[in-house]
Amino acid sequence: MTNSHTMREIQFREALREAMSEEMRRDERVFLMGEEVAEYNGAYKVSQGMLDEFGPQRVIDTPIAELGFAGIGAGAAMNGLRPIIEFMTFNFSLVAIDQNINGSAKIMSMSGGQYSNPIVFRGPTGNAGMLSSQHSQNFENWYANTSGLKVVVPSNPYDAKGLLKSAIRDDDPVIFMESELMYGDKGQVPEEEYLIPIGKADIKREGNDVTIVSFGKFMKVALQAAEELAKNGVSAEVIDLRSVRPIDYDTVINSVKKTNRCVVVEEAWPLAAISSELAYTIQRRAFDYLDAPVIRVNSLDLPLPYAPTLIEVILPNVKRTLEAVDAVMYKK
């Protein structure tokens, strides 16, 4: 990070907008396409003002047809452009998943290296409050299971800007997953240009007694849990994966070798989740260092309902995270 005197506090949505605008000024091949990105200034105001600056040929409103405009993006990327395709939510990306997985992810290998697909698919993931089952799902692990894709899930404005700029410059297709609940979050972001490499986790808080791993908006839960633990003399190391393909296993393993205990907090359903992969890799690479089994804190294995009281029960939270830490420390 640059010196503090160059920092200013901006919203998560503004950090994303700066990343896209800076890359569009830098490279005329970059364009933004999606529902309501232009005339309406973006469904979440991420692209506010970009139509005025770049015009309708580079900030393009689409019909409600994800399969169509994702395919246009994939084809444009094959022909030398660098599209940013915005999904209003990644729940809607299921309509376009053939273009993402059978198209963009496979083009490089199926063409024998003749075509790359430098494209970013971005938009919000997971729950956003009372939006019920069809608008509250997490598909990070689905996309991370696909060879040929990179999957980025930032947790704060600083990371979001640096990672999105790297994603736009990347020659591989990148799934860039945000959160509706984070667009208004504020954080310190440098005025100067900077990039964050995809595939490098960040230790947000150092500690010695237990490792807590998370990513995206549930980093808030992990960090809040660490604050509560500190009040009781427990030192938690908190790791933000930042990307879930590739995963920075080394940072996690090195932390577990120090703390000897690990809890993974993830919004997705428990079966075949990112947390499952982490738990397996930790036991494979750091088994002799573990003083307790790895415990995962996931959403309950249910479609997310509308009622806020039920949402609170189903999603990971600080209380469940603290209970998991107690378990790996044999306090229960």
Side-chain angles (χ1 to χ4, degrees), residues 298-305 309-316 320:
N298 292 80
S299 291
L300 302 187
D301 205 0
L302 296 163
L304 198 70
T309 49
L310 295 178
I311 292 173
E312 186 177 351
V313 171
I314 288 174
L315 292 178
R320 287 174 57 199

Side-chain angles (χ1 to χ4, degrees), residues 141 145 244 247 249 264 266 270 272-284 296:
N141 54 328
N145 192 246
V244 297
I247 293 175
Y249 293 112
V264 186
E266 180 186 13
I274 298 299
S275 54
S276 312
E277 171 64 20
L278 281 173
Y280 164 75
T281 302
I282 291 167
Q283 68 82 24
R284 182 172 63 88
R296 303 182 299 142

Side-chain angles (χ1 to χ4, degrees), residues 9-305:
E9 188 174 69
I10 63 174
Q11 290 184 335
F12 196 102
R13 61 167 57 87
E14 294 173 304
L16 296 171
R17 183 188 312 142
E18 286 188 359
M20 292 191 292
S21 296
E22 288 175 13
E23 292 306 304
M24 288 175 73
R25 295 178 197 124
R26 173 182 173 273
D27 187 343
E28 64 182 11
R29 297 172 298 169
V30 180
F31 68 92
L32 173 65
M33 175 183 283
E35 296 153 351
E36 298 184 350
V37 300
E39 296 289 346
Y40 190 67
N41 283 311
Y44 313 106
K45 299 300 178 273
V46 172
S47 55
Q48 189 166 24
M50 291 180 65
L51 175 63
D52 293 338
E53 177 174 357
F54 299 105
Q57 288 190 315
R58 296 185 69 195
V59 182
I60 304 166
D61 277 330
T62 68
I64 303 175
E66 289 82 5
L67 176 66
F69 65 76
I72 290 171
M78 289 178 68
N79 284 278
L81 299 180
R82 304 186 80 88
I84 306 166
I85 303 299
E86 178 178 313
F87 294 123
M88 195 177 290
T89 158
F90 265 95
N91 294 274
F92 302 163
S93 77
L94 299 191
V95 181
I97 203 164
D98 185 62
Q99 301 289 4
N100 301 333
I101 289 178
N102 274 334
S104 289
K106 308 287 195 304
I107 286 167
M108 174 69 81
S109 61
M110 291 183 68
S111 69
Q114 295 179 79
Y115 291 98
S116 61
N117 211 242
I119 186 170
V120 175
F121 297 100
R122 52 157 295 269
T125 182
N127 88 90
M130 299 162 60
L131 295 180
S132 195
S133 304
Q134 294 178 326
H135 294 69
S136 304
Q137 301 168 104
N138 290 80
F139 300 120
E140 295 92 343
N141 54 328
W142 287 30
Y143 285 115
N145 192 246
T146 303
S147 181
L149 295 178
K150 295 177 179 176
V151 183
V152 177
V153 195
S155 68
N156 60 79
Y158 175 82
D159 288 356
K161 181 176 180 181
L163 287 165
L164 183 54
K165 287 173 69 71
S166 292
I168 293 168
R169 297 186 192 188
D170 204 295
D171 289 331
D172 293 318
V174 180
I175 306 291
F176 197 93
M177 308 180 94
E178 305 148 11
S179 169
E180 290 177 53
L181 297 178
M182 291 170 59
Y183 285 130
D185 288 359
K186 292 184 177 180
Q188 294 291 315
V189 176
E191 293 180 0
E192 294 85 0
E193 180 178 73
Y194 66 100
L195 300 171
I196 296 175
I198 295 172
K200 181 61 179 172
D202 190 32
I203 299 173
K204 299 298 188 190
R205 181 184 180 122
E206 294 192 355
N208 299 302
D209 296 326
V210 61
T211 299
I212 303 176
V213 184
S214 191
F215 56 90
K217 67 175 176 287
F218 275 80
M219 279 299 300
K220 295 179 183 179
V221 168
L223 290 166
Q224 288 171 21
E227 288 286 341
E228 291 300 315
L229 290 166
K231 295 175 184 177
N232 295 313
V234 177
S235 172
E237 183 145 292
V238 183
I239 297 176
D240 184 350
L241 291 179
R242 299 203 289 201
S243 68
V244 297
R245 187 181 183 104
I247 293 175
D248 181 0
Y249 293 112
D250 288 345
T251 295
V252 176
I253 296 298
N254 289 336
S255 177
V256 171
K257 286 180 176 179
K258 177 175 66 170
T259 66
N260 311 118
R261 296 171 173 86
C262 185
V263 170
V264 186
V265 182
E266 180 186 13
E267 186 178 358
W269 295 310
L271 182 64
I274 298 299
S275 54
S276 312
E277 171 64 20
L278 281 173
Y280 164 75
T281 302
I282 291 167
Q283 68 82 24
R284 182 172 63 88
R285 291 182 53 186
F287 181 81
D288 290 339
Y289 294 87
L290 286 172
D291 288 341
V294 177
I295 292 184
R296 303 182 299 142
V297 182
N298 292 80
S299 291
L300 302 187
D301 205 0
L302 296 163
L304 198 70

